[in-house]
DNA sequence: ACTTGACTTGGAGTGCGCTCGAAGGGGGAC
DNA sequence: GTCCCCCTTCGAGCGCACTCCAAGTCAAGT
């Protein structure tokens, strides 16, 4: 699969895919005869997971660490799990915070309604 | 109240408070005899609300627009309400998205647990 | 043979939201 | 008086996560 196809399917830009590879987020994408990247299904799955980490607010540096552990093999599973658990806690906190802020928005909107 | 006190109470830095004033997010903070800023309770309330808009992901430019409408008076209430409603929708979507992503994290963590 | 277009690399540029530095101005404590 | 500290403005700098550009390669189409 070409970089354009991978971009469309992952929702990332081709620029971003190259950038992710450069910083080590996605490792050693296969090249075809002419040196062009050739993405496989497994790359797409990994990109989807990376995207979930990103959209939930994990910093790139932390994602790089996770990717590095993943490359190191199964013996890093516990550390990776710990990272995900810590991240999950952050996401839960974030959701709780957003839900609180939502109440304030609701309250404000009601006030505006009352004014009209 | 001095800028330092306002910073402590709002959770923003003094730098950020000056920055917010410069870009028009907070308008015409009173000055004392020697030109120092003198924040009042109402400023703090406004800063708290601004902070909620920020932490829920409203871009600064949009917050400036909201602040501008607020300065223009009561006849902008409908437009401000519309902005808040649009923002509320975005926040709701964001929460829903985070909740979906949380499921993926849970799933992954379970897999790691199974591996150990 | 030549054009077209998508790809490659390395490095520079961008936008956002701050964050900091420089240079200078009070005003209270000693 | 002078030391010290916090304040002022203006403008530059920073960190993050991309985003884009320049220069070159390669393969397919006409």
């Amino acid at each position: 699969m070409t970089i354009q196809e991978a971009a469309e399917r992952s929702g990332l830009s081709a620029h971003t895919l190259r950038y992710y590879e450069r910083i080590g987020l996605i490792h050693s994408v296969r090249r075809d005869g002419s040196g062009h990247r050739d993405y496989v299904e497994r790359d797409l799955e990994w990109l989807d997971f990376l995207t979930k980490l990103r959209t939930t607010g994990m910093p790139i540096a932390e994602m790089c660490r996770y990717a590095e552990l993943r490359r190191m093999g199964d013996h890093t599973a516990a550390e990776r799990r710990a990272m995900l658990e810590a991240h999950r806690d952050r996401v839960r906190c974030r959701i709780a915070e957003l839900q609180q802020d939502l109440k304030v928005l609701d309250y404000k909107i009601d006030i505006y309604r009352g004014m009209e």
Side-chain angles (χ1 to χ4, degrees), chain A:
Chain A
M1 174 182 349
T2 69
I3 194 166
Q4 275 313 322
E5 287 163 348
E8 274 160 37
R9 288 196 41 196
S10 68
L12 299 164
S13 73
H15 286 303
T16 301
L17 291 179
R18 291 193 197 97
Y19 166 68
Y20 277 9
E21 191 174 338
R22 195 159 68 209
I23 64 176
L25 266 186
I26 171 166
H27 195 56
S28 65
V29 175
R30 213 164 49 200
R31 306 297 153 121
D32 66 14
S34 54
H36 293 189
R37 287 171 180 79
D38 180 19
Y39 291 85
V40 297
E41 217 49 47
R42 196 164 150 65
D43 295 326
L44 264 285
E45 285 161 22
W46 173 236
L47 282 171
D48 281 350
F49 183 59
L50 285 180
T51 299
K52 292 210 186 308
L53 294 181
R54 270 302 300 133
T55 62
T56 50
M58 184 182 283
I60 292 273
E62 203 168 327
M63 289 165 61
C64 286
R65 172 71 183 149
Y66 185 90
E68 188 191 0
L69 289 172
R70 183 167 172 266
R71 282 197 300 278
M72 288 167 67
D74 285 354
H75 69 281
T76 65
E79 191 173 344
R80 278 182 276 159
R81 178 172 62 82
M83 286 184 76
L84 292 189
E85 281 173 350
H87 184 58
R88 179 175 62 180
D89 286 350
R90 288 197 303 256
V91 175
R92 281 179 179 154
C93 288
R94 182 83 186 106
I95 289 173
E97 189 185 31
L98 285 177
Q99 280 167 341
Q100 285 306 310
D101 292 347
L102 206 48
K103 285 183 193 166
V104 176
L105 285 176
D106 285 335
Y107 175 75
K108 276 271 187 184
I109 288 166
D110 273 355
I111 288 180
Y112 279 122
R113 264 191 231 287
M115 282 170 65
E116 289 165 34

